Amino acid sequence: MTGTKTTQRKAIAVLGAIAAAAAMFASGGAHAQVKIGFIGTLSGPGGALGQDQYDAFMLAVEQKGGKLGGVPVQVIKEDDQLKPDVGVQAATKLVERDKVSLITGVTFSNVMMAIHKNVTNAGVVMVGSNAGPAPIAGEQCSPNFFSTSWDNDELHEAGGQLSTDLGYKKMYVMAPNYQAGRDAVNGFKRDYKGQIVDEVYTQVNQPDYSAEIAQLAAAKPDAVYVFYPGGMGVNFVKQYRQAGLLGKIPLISVSTIDGSTLPALKEQAVGSITSAPYSPDLDNAQNKQFVAAFQKKYNRVPSMYAAQSYDAANLIDSALTKTKGSVTDREALRAALKSADFQSVRGSFKFASNQFPIAPFYRVDVVKDSSGAAFANKGKIEVKTRANLASMCKIRS
């Protein structure tokens, strides 16, 4: 009988210890592990973009000893394959089965549009590090969504302003036919003050642009503005060069020639002008150590996708520091994220009311160097007209 009571006491003690540990985990105790889901395009023509996002995020985690905010983190990676339905499946798995507290990444806007409501309505906080569909920055904004990149409109408003500043009177505009491509053209037209000779939409992941390039050459614009991320950009720029147009009809681009595509293009991209939220030669201490660490670990120059994802990791780190590792109080977590108390590789950074960044854009040229080609920051772009999507966002806790 005594043995039975002893056994019962031991069982109660064990159950009590388990309950205490569970309570500590749930409350974000000092030794709790925070689960973070990462969704990105990691395969196919856009795979380099998502890989840059993932690698930079994990670099930040590694630099902090496998922790963010002093708390061990488990990052669960999912490849959306640039397919919205696959993205929905990945998000559902992370939320319902893996029970993540935050989701980061997301490379393409069509995937973001498919998963955004499902994730944020489930009470899971998202820290997007690339895709910025205009609707999510405006009327469809959520208190559970933060971005460390930009909204699609403002990204291309900068491109339109740059084209105006360069004095081009007639522009030919091209983009893939999906959410980000349509946002690109709308944003560009808002700040470009000249004539749009034509706007052409091509298929997502289209490999051959020879017919479209022949049409634009015949139109004889002053310059061409394109938005072709990932492998689309590599194919377009190579074919533009092969057609003898690069250097003849100036090429202005956004998210086309960047750190993810320049290694495949090298000298073929020299002479191009880009409008960008980031350049690896930005002169601030956080960026200098990031570029050095990224190059040392991955043997390549970081792209804007990497920079934005590194910022996302450091933003989460700053928030978890403020909440002492707790993720259960969503209001406190959101307030900590909103304060943006971290050093961005982009320089100045704070959130607008829609929880998208207020951060600068730059003219970045592709120049020849000893490695073949490199980026050279030529200064900030002063955007004069903005959609101000934040004014359409009515965030309620």
Side-chain angles (χ1 to χ4, degrees):
M1 193 72 174
T2 303
T4 301
K5 288 183 178 179
T6 301
T7 301
Q8 288 175 338
R9 283 196 296 271
K10 287 182 178 178
I12 291 170
V14 169
L15 289 172
I18 292 172
M24 182 182 73
F25 182 91
S27 65
H31 302 291
Q33 182 186 70
V34 173
K35 287 186 177 182
I36 299 173
F38 175 92
I39 300 176
T41 301
L42 300 168
S43 56
L49 282 59
Q51 192 63 52
D52 261 20
Q53 287 176 276
Y54 180 74
D55 286 348
F57 192 91
M58 296 310 296
L59 172 63
V61 173
E62 179 184 296
Q63 287 179 326
K64 298 177 189 302
K67 300 177 180 180
L68 292 178
V71 181
V73 295
Q74 178 188 2
V75 181
I76 303 171
K77 177 175 65 173
E78 297 288 340
D79 178 10
D80 61 45
Q81 303 172 37
L82 217 175
K83 297 176 182 177
D85 59 330
V86 176
V88 170
Q89 292 169 13
T92 301
K93 169 187 172 291
L94 290 170
V95 172
E96 296 182 0
R97 194 180 83 185
D98 297 318
K99 307 293 185 185
V100 299
S101 297
L102 301 104
I103 288 179
T104 189
V106 191
T107 313
F108 285 85
S109 289
N110 54 347
V111 175
M112 181 65 86
M113 287 299 293
I115 72 173
H116 168 258
K117 281 187 178 179
N118 292 348
V119 173
T120 56
N121 287 351
V124 175
V125 173
M126 288 191 75
V127 181
S129 59
N130 192 59
I136 292 175
E139 293 179 351
Q140 296 180 35
C141 64
S142 166
N144 287 325
F145 184 85
F146 296 80
S147 171
T148 54
S149 56
W150 25 259
D151 70 65
N152 290 343
D153 272 28
E154 67 176 351
L155 179 65
H156 298 282
E157 287 165 357
Q161 185 66 57
L162 175 60
S163 298
T164 298
D165 293 345
L166 291 170
Y168 299 127
K169 304 299 183 184
K170 297 190 299 180
M171 295 289 295
Y172 198 97
V173 182
M174 296 180 64
N177 190 18
Y178 75 115
Q179 179 74 48
R182 294 186 293 272
D183 287 346
V185 175
N186 288 335
F188 178 84
K189 290 193 293 187
R190 187 170 294 110
D191 280 79
Y192 175 61
K193 304 308 179 186
Q195 176 190 354
I196 303 291
V197 176
D198 201 357
E199 57 185 75
V200 176
Y201 296 93
T202 53
Q203 293 181 3
V204 175
N205 286 339
Q206 179 174 317
D208 185 2
Y209 299 91
S210 55
E212 289 85 0
I213 289 172
Q215 289 171 4
L216 79 84
K220 297 181 179 179
D222 290 343
V224 179
Y225 181 83
V226 300
F227 164 68
Y228 282 121
M232 291 184 284
V234 172
N235 290 334
F236 180 86
V237 175
K238 283 183 176 180
Q239 291 164 31
Y240 195 76
R241 170 71 76 179
Q242 289 163 3
L245 297 182
L246 192 51
K248 182 179 179 182
I249 301 177
L251 180 63
I252 317 299
S253 73
V254 168
S255 302
T256 301
I257 305 168
D258 52 44
S260 69
T261 58
L262 191 61
L265 290 167
K266 296 183 179 177
E267 293 93 339
Q268 294 177 87
V270 170
S272 303
I273 300 171
T274 76
S275 170
Y278 172 77
S279 179
D281 63 350
L282 291 181
D283 188 14
N284 65 73
Q286 178 75 331
N287 185 54
K288 288 179 178 179
Q289 70 80 26
F290 164 62
V291 172
F294 192 92
Q295 286 185 297
K296 181 178 180 180
K297 185 169 181 63
Y298 301 116
N299 196 31
R300 65 183 190 273
V301 175
S303 65
M304 71 181 199
Y305 311 101
Q308 293 158 181
S309 193
Y310 189 76
D311 273 359
N314 282 288
L315 171 64
I316 294 170
D317 173 67
S318 70
L320 291 178
T321 298
K322 286 181 180 291
T323 66
K324 296 181 171 58
S326 175
V327 291
T328 54
D329 185 340
R330 288 290 188 271
E331 187 174 344
L333 179 61
R334 289 195 299 263
L337 288 165
K338 180 77 173 180
S339 69
D341 189 14
F342 77 105
Q343 295 298 312
S344 169
V345 299
R346 292 168 64 179
S348 61
F349 185 108
K350 63 179 180 179
F351 282 119
S353 59
N354 62 353
Q355 297 173 175
F356 275 74
I358 299 172
F361 291 86
Y362 304 89
R363 171 185 169 174
V364 183
D365 291 7
V366 184
V367 299
K368 190 171 180 59
D369 78 343
S370 58
S371 67
F375 295 108
N377 169 33
K378 299 297 184 179
K380 292 180 181 179
I381 301 169
E382 301 299 334
V383 180
K384 295 181 173 61
T385 306
R386 295 184 182 272
N388 191 18
L389 295 175
S391 67
M392 306 175 197
C393 169
K394 307 300 180 186
I395 286 180
R396 297 179 180 85
S397 299

